Amino acid sequence: MLSLPTPLWRQLQAAASVLAAVRRGESATPALARVPSELRPAAQALSFHVLRNLGRAEALRKQLAKRPPPPAADALLCTALALAWQEEGAPYPPFTLVDQAVEAAKRAPETKAQQAFINACLRRFLREREALVAATDKDPVARWNHPKWWIERLKKDHPRAWEQILEANNAAAPMTLRVNTRRVAVADMQARLEAAGIATTPVGQFGLILERPLPVGEIPGFGEGWVSVQDAGAQLAAALVVGSAAPNPPYEILDACAAPGGKTAHIAELADTRLLALDVDPARCERIHQNLERLGLKAQVQAADAGEPATWWNGQSFDAILLDAPCTASGIVRRHPDVRWLRRESDVAQLAAQQARLLDALWPLLKAGGRLVYCTCSVFKAEGDERIAAFLAHNIGAVLRPGPGHLLPRNGAKPGGVPDNEAGDHDGFYYAVLEKGALEAPARPADA
């Protein structure tokens, strides 16, 4: 028996539930996990669209009603406004969205009492849409769909590129594969995908951007470990750690904040090393194991706080360290559109302090002449240039080597090119390659 398509009003209810969870401070990921499986793909598509247009929707709601209704009703109302405010790019015609939003309000106990209010607001929106949208155009939060503090920080940090960053954030990210060159060459993998009817564009040294996203189960070779899903910008980390030539063992590498293991696996793909992967969360360490197993790779995985070496370090100094530090995730907003609404301005300083703690803890564990690659998926300079400048000011034995620096999010592929600040299709990152001077003595375990 053929299953009937899920009614749109149910999809809108599910998307509104995700928005309500984000407003409570919860990530969209667990909120979507609670949505019934048959609704989840549609709920994700709609809720991501809503989160990318939430600033405009909330500004419109203020035009329609000076006082917000109860949270569940406001989430449904703003969901409908976010989806319908702009006819171009709307997933359904505005009249259909409004009609189905009212139906959704009527059918849910938590919104039924506000059905008439939601209906009145949305019918007025349809009648006065052009004027209402024009009235919100001067509001920067409505224009850019980011919190005001975020917009102001980008203006300060990137005065010539802040608009480009915000525009990139509001677009959907592509699905990018990293080819496991231990198993197959990039050109051969592209040919295999093309033979299966999957069009791709090369990006960087190891990447292929899919013309359209697919479930990983439909990608030839994924289960066999030929490819992994990883943004092109993230694919730079492993090559920076390993260097221009793959080292000969024994070579000790630490991936200090490793979960879910994408960068760990890439390091293991590029070089035969003794690789230690740490993560503070045991459950996330299991994800690292799973990724390595699928790819046929090995590393020592340990649940530990990288910032407390006395609890895990055996005294063997490392030739190279990757510190993919906890950060605001301000560079991956196009993949995680909830991030902008979950972060608070005070988070930037708190996370920068964590980054400083980790740098200070791990630097003594590096051999003289070794390299530490500091990485964040952030475009904020407090988590990039400023953090490294502060570190260098207090560590005279550290030398900053040439590297990407702030890699700003960009949409659009540069065939065969390395992701950079001028072109490419990649998320936002910061990379710094720090080399330890030959005269700086390594730490002893008792010092850690």
Side-chain angles (χ1 to χ4, degrees):
M1 180 185 296
L2 293 175
S3 59
L4 296 175
T6 305
L8 179 56
W9 63 263
R10 286 193 65 203
Q11 299 175 33
L12 293 173
Q13 284 180 337
S17 74
V18 174
L19 173 57
V22 170
R23 283 175 161 176
R24 294 193 300 268
E26 184 181 2
S27 167
T29 301
L32 282 164
R34 292 194 297 271
V35 172
S37 58
E38 72 274 11
L39 277 172
R40 201 170 298 142
Q44 177 169 318
L46 291 178
S47 63
F48 277 25
H49 189 115
V50 169
L51 292 165
R52 292 184 177 113
N53 291 273
L54 185 57
R56 178 73 71 168
E58 291 182 339
L60 287 169
R61 199 268 298 148
K62 289 175 184 176
Q63 293 287 320
L64 294 164
K66 300 305 179 186
R67 294 179 59 186
D74 192 49
L76 180 58
L77 176 57
C78 286
T79 292
L81 291 170
L83 294 169
W85 80 271
Q86 192 176 32
E87 195 155 12
E88 183 183 353
Y92 298 94
F95 279 94
T96 300
L97 287 163
V98 166
D99 178 74
Q100 289 295 289
V102 174
E103 186 70 15
K106 179 175 70 175
R107 289 175 176 263
E110 61 269 28
T111 54
K112 189 173 183 179
Q114 286 79 43
Q115 176 194 344
F117 169 81
I118 291 173
N119 182 58
C121 286
L122 291 176
R123 299 298 171 187
R124 180 188 165 198
F125 165 74
L126 289 178
R127 293 193 304 272
E128 304 174 23
R129 181 161 54 129
E130 188 173 334
L132 289 166
V133 169
T136 63
D137 278 341
K138 292 183 180 180
D139 179 351
V141 178
R143 166 68 179 86
W144 295 108
N145 289 292
H146 284 69
K148 186 176 181 180
W149 70 264
W150 192 302
I151 298 169
E152 294 304 316
R153 183 173 284 270
L154 287 181
K155 285 182 178 180
K156 175 177 174 290
D157 285 354
H158 304 285
R160 294 195 300 175
W162 66 273
E163 291 176 306
Q164 165 221 307
I165 296 169
L166 293 170
E167 287 172 353
N169 286 353
N170 286 327
M175 186 174 185
T176 304
L177 303 180
R178 183 190 77 238
V179 178
N180 181 357
T181 51
R182 279 186 180 261
R183 299 285 185 89
V184 60
V186 174
D188 291 341
M189 189 67 226
Q190 185 178 27
R192 293 186 186 198
L193 292 171
E194 185 177 350
I198 301 171
T200 64
T201 301
V203 63
Q205 191 175 354
F206 308 100
L208 293 171
I209 297 175
L210 272 63
E211 188 175 85
R212 61 182 182 86
L214 290 172
V216 293
E218 296 180 17
I219 298 174
F222 183 86
E224 293 77 14
W226 295 349
V227 292
S228 299
V229 178
Q230 188 181 46
D231 179 75
Q235 293 180 27
L236 296 179
L240 291 173
V241 172
V242 171
S244 59
N248 295 318
Y251 195 81
E252 307 286 342
I253 294 182
L254 169 66
D255 187 350
C257 302
K263 296 181 180 71
T264 308
H266 197 192
I267 292 170
E269 288 172 7
L270 296 183
D272 293 313
T273 68
R274 287 203 287 262
L275 176 58
L276 172 61
L278 299 182
D279 198 86
V280 71
D281 185 347
R284 284 167 59 81
C285 285
E286 184 56 33
R287 290 280 308 280
I288 303 174
H289 280 296
Q290 291 168 359
N291 276 323
L292 291 170
E293 183 178 359
R294 181 180 62 82
L295 294 163
L297 302 167
K298 292 184 179 180
Q300 180 186 350
V301 180
Q302 187 172 342
D305 181 352
E308 298 289 343
T311 65
W312 56 266
W313 186 45
N314 65 3
Q316 175 67 53
S317 296
F318 296 98
D319 296 282
I321 296 173
L322 172 61
L323 173 54
D324 186 4
C327 69
T328 57
S330 59
I332 57 173
V333 175
R334 61 186 197 153
R335 292 186 192 280
H336 301 279
D338 53 334
V339 165
R340 72 192 91 180
W341 308 115
L342 292 170
R343 288 295 181 208
R344 300 292 177 262
E345 188 169 13
S346 59
D347 293 341
V348 181
Q350 292 173 4
L351 286 160
Q354 287 188 43
Q355 294 151 13
R357 166 182 168 265
L358 288 164
L359 276 166
D360 290 342
L362 295 173
W363 183 250
L365 280 54
L366 189 66
K367 290 180 182 177
R371 64 173 60 192
L372 185 152
V373 176
Y374 170 82
C375 169
T376 62
C377 53
S378 175
V379 295
F380 295 151
K381 290 199 171 182
E383 301 179 286
D385 282 343
E386 292 174 7
R387 176 57 32 230
I388 294 304
F391 177 80
L392 291 170
H394 293 91
N395 292 271
I396 59 174
V399 177
L400 179 62
R401 293 302 183 191
H406 279 285
L407 189 71
L408 304 182
R410 291 274 182 174
N411 298 322
K414 178 184 181 183
V418 176
D420 54 36
N421 286 337
E422 302 302 326
D425 196 320
H426 52 77
D427 294 336
F429 285 87
Y430 177 81
Y431 286 103
V433 181
L434 300 168
E435 187 173 294
K436 179 175 278 192
L439 298 179
E440 188 171 342
R444 301 186 305 273
D447 299 328

Coordinates of all heavy atoms in Angstrom, one line a residue, residues 175 177 186-187 189-191 193-194 197-203 207-212 413:
M175 N 26.9 19.5 0.1 CA 27.4 18.3 0.7 C 28.8 18.0 0.0 O 28.8 17.9 -1.2 CB 26.5 17.1 0.5 CG 26.9 15.8 1.1 SD 25.6 14.5 0.9 CE 26.3 13.2 2.0
L177 N 32.4 15.8 -0.1 CA 33.1 14.5 0.3 C 34.6 14.8 0.4 O 35.1 15.5 -0.4 CB 32.8 13.5 -0.7 CG 31.3 13.1 -1.0 CD1 31.2 12.0 -2.1 CD2 30.6 12.7 0.3
V186 N 41.3 10.9 -6.3 CA 40.2 11.8 -6.4 C 39.5 11.7 -7.7 O 38.3 11.6 -7.8 CB 40.6 13.2 -6.0 CG1 39.4 14.2 -6.3 CG2 41.1 13.3 -4.6
A187 N 40.3 11.7 -8.8 CA 39.8 11.7 -10.1 C 39.1 10.4 -10.4 O 38.0 10.3 -11.1 CB 40.9 11.9 -11.2
M189 N 37.6 8.5 -8.1 CA 36.4 8.5 -7.3 C 35.3 9.4 -8.0 O 34.1 9.0 -8.0 CB 36.7 9.1 -5.9 CG 35.5 9.0 -4.9 SD 35.1 7.2 -4.5 CE 33.3 7.2 -4.7
Q190 N 35.7 10.5 -8.6 CA 34.8 11.3 -9.3 C 34.2 10.6 -10.5 O 33.0 10.7 -10.8 CB 35.5 12.6 -9.8 CG 34.5 13.6 -10.4 CD 35.1 14.9 -10.9 OE1 36.3 14.9 -11.1 NE2 34.3 15.9 -10.9
A191 N 35.0 9.8 -11.2 CA 34.6 9.0 -12.3 C 33.6 7.9 -11.9 O 32.6 7.7 -12.5 CB 35.7 8.4 -13.0
L193 N 31.6 8.1 -9.2 CA 30.4 8.8 -8.9 C 29.6 9.2 -10.2 O 28.4 9.0 -10.2 CB 30.6 10.0 -8.0 CG 31.2 9.7 -6.6 CD1 31.6 11.0 -5.9 CD2 30.1 9.0 -5.8
E194 N 30.3 9.7 -11.1 CA 29.7 10.1 -12.4 C 29.0 8.9 -13.1 O 27.9 9.0 -13.6 CB 30.7 10.7 -13.3 CG 30.1 11.3 -14.6 CD 31.1 12.0 -15.5 OE1 32.3 12.2 -15.0 OE2 30.8 12.3 -16.7
G197 N 25.7 8.3 -11.9 CA 24.8 9.4 -12.1 C 24.9 10.5 -11.0 O 23.9 11.2 -10.9
I198 N 26.0 10.6 -10.3 CA 26.1 11.5 -9.3 C 27.2 12.6 -9.7 O 28.4 12.3 -9.9 CB 26.6 10.9 -8.0 CG1 25.6 9.8 -7.5 CG2 26.8 11.9 -6.9 CD1 26.1 9.0 -6.3
A199 N 26.7 13.8 -10.0 CA 27.6 14.8 -10.5 C 28.3 15.5 -9.4 O 27.7 15.8 -8.3 CB 26.8 15.9 -11.3
T200 N 29.6 15.8 -9.5 CA 30.4 16.4 -8.5 C 31.4 17.5 -9.1 O 31.6 17.4 -10.3 CB 31.3 15.4 -7.7 OG1 32.2 14.8 -8.6 CG2 30.4 14.3 -7.1
T201 N 31.9 18.3 -8.3 CA 32.9 19.3 -8.7 C 34.0 19.2 -7.7 O 33.8 19.3 -6.5 CB 32.3 20.7 -8.6 OG1 31.2 20.8 -9.5 CG2 33.3 21.8 -9.0
P202 N 35.3 19.1 -8.2 CA 36.4 19.0 -7.3 C 36.6 20.3 -6.5 O 36.3 21.4 -7.1 CB 37.6 18.8 -8.2 CG 37.0 18.3 -9.5 CD 35.7 18.9 -9.6
V203 N 37.1 20.2 -5.3 CA 37.4 21.4 -4.5 C 38.6 21.0 -3.6 O 38.6 19.9 -3.0 CB 36.2 21.9 -3.7 CG1 35.7 20.9 -2.7 CG2 36.5 23.2 -3.0
G207 N 38.7 17.1 -2.1 CA 37.3 17.2 -2.0 C 36.5 17.1 -3.3 O 37.0 17.4 -4.4
L208 N 35.3 16.6 -3.2 CA 34.3 16.6 -4.2 C 33.0 17.1 -3.7 O 32.4 16.6 -2.7 CB 34.1 15.2 -4.8 CG 35.3 14.5 -5.5 CD1 35.0 13.0 -5.7 CD2 35.6 15.2 -6.8
I209 N 32.5 18.2 -4.3 CA 31.2 18.8 -3.9 C 30.1 18.1 -4.7 O 30.1 18.1 -6.0 CB 31.2 20.3 -4.1 CG1 32.2 20.9 -3.3 CG2 29.8 20.9 -3.8 CD1 32.4 22.4 -3.5
L210 N 29.1 17.5 -4.1 CA 28.0 16.9 -4.8 C 27.0 18.0 -5.3 O 26.8 19.0 -4.6 CB 27.2 16.0 -3.8 CG 27.7 14.5 -3.7 CD1 29.1 14.5 -3.2 CD2 26.7 13.7 -2.9
E211 N 26.6 17.8 -6.5 CA 25.6 18.7 -7.1 C 24.3 18.8 -6.3 O 23.7 19.9 -6.2 CB 25.3 18.3 -8.6 CG 24.5 19.3 -9.3 CD 24.3 18.8 -10.8 OE1 23.4 18.0 -11.0 OE2 25.1 19.2 -11.6
R212 N 24.0 17.7 -5.7 CA 22.8 17.7 -4.8 C 23.1 16.7 -3.7 O 23.7 15.7 -3.9 CB 21.5 17.3 -5.5 CG 21.5 15.9 -6.1 CD 20.2 15.6 -6.9 NE 20.2 14.3 -7.4 CZ 19.8 13.2 -6.7 NH1 19.4 13.3 -5.5 NH2 19.8 12.0 -7.3
A413 N 31.8 26.9 -6.1 CA 33.0 26.0 -6.1 C 34.0 26.7 -7.0 O 33.7 27.3 -8.0 CB 32.6 24.7 -6.7

